[in-house]
Amino acid sequence: RDSIQIHFYSPSPITLPAAGPEISEKILSLINSENIIFHDSCKIKSIEKNKMIFQNGEEAYFNLLLAVPPHVAPKVIYESGLAKENEFIPINRDCKTSFENVYAVGDVTTLTVIDTMTVPKAGVFAEGEAITVAQNIISHIQNKNELSLFDGKGGCFIESGRDTASIIEVDMFSESKPVTKLTESTSKHLDEKLQFEKERLSKWL
């Protein structure tokens, strides 16, 4: 580890915008403690061999690049009229779209919480939305007037190295404002992460 440099470039001004500034600051401290250098507000224009070029004209060189491409909805989403071009499907907490009896969940959707804050595009939230949709479809089939709303609760694990992990717990629709908590990094949480993965693989595959 002492023989390599690790740099973390993000297009955002903080490490994890969905979690808010307080949690992002804690994550930054964790990153710094491992001698990882965080670069904020770095929007990539192009990538060449061993070189990233940012929109502001700056460049960064690398031997190994691990990158997440921009997230966009597939063409069928806006070609079908479910969303505007280059946007995502707007939904409310019942996960209904503007089309009758058509629901949407997960990464192709935008669910606004307050102002410009939206529910993060993460699998755990897609799972919760899918449960909401299933309940509403069952209610419709049984001719009931019960309407289920997505509770906005979820979370994820952060592997923090040295055989430890922490947990981010999120409640997007708490009474006052979205609430995010970050636990301590422990080996127990890493065991929970591995168990979580095993359960999902077993259920889904």
Side-chain angles (χ1 to χ4, degrees), residues 7 11 14 18 36 66 74 81 85 97 106 136 165 170 174 181 189 191 202 205:
H7 292 257
I14 54 180
I36 298 172
L66 303 177
E85 189 169 353
T97 70
N136 285 330
V170 182
S174 62
K181 299 178 181 178
H189 291 324
D191 291 339
S202 175
L205 304 178

Side-chain angles (χ1 to χ4, degrees), residues 43-175:
K43 297 183 178 181
I44 294 178
K45 179 181 179 181
S46 61
I47 296 177
E48 299 179 0
K49 183 178 180 180
N50 299 116
K51 182 171 70 174
M52 293 184 292
I53 302 173
F54 301 100
Q55 291 182 5
N56 63 3
E58 294 183 2
E59 300 177 352
Y61 294 84
F62 61 86
N63 297 108
L64 174 65
L65 174 67
L66 303 177
V68 179
H71 176 63
V72 295
K75 289 184 179 180
V76 67
I77 296 302
Y78 56 84
E79 288 178 346
S80 65
L82 285 166
K84 295 179 181 179
E85 189 169 353
N86 299 321
E87 294 185 9
F88 301 97
I89 303 172
I91 60 171
N92 294 317
R93 291 178 63 185
D94 57 12
C95 301
K96 291 182 178 180
T97 70
S98 57
F99 289 72
E100 186 176 359
N101 296 327
V102 176
Y103 298 84
V105 304
D107 288 5
V108 296
T109 68
T110 292
L111 176 53
T112 301
V113 182
I114 53 173
D115 300 326
T116 59
M117 180 178 286
T118 60
V119 172
K121 298 184 188 307
V124 67
F125 296 111
E127 185 179 58
E129 291 168 350
I131 292 172
T132 300
V133 170
Q135 292 171 338
N136 285 330
I137 291 175
I138 291 170
S139 178
H140 179 73
I141 292 173
Q142 295 178 341
N143 293 318
K144 296 180 179 179
N145 293 322
E146 300 171 358
L147 183 66
S148 295
L149 299 178
F150 172 52
D151 62 12
K153 295 180 180 180
C156 65
F157 295 90
I158 297 180
E159 283 204 45
S160 41
R162 308 181 196 284
D163 296 323
T164 65
S166 56
I167 303 174
I168 292 182
E169 300 170 324
V170 182
D171 184 349
M172 299 301 297
F173 298 104
S174 62
E175 293 183 3

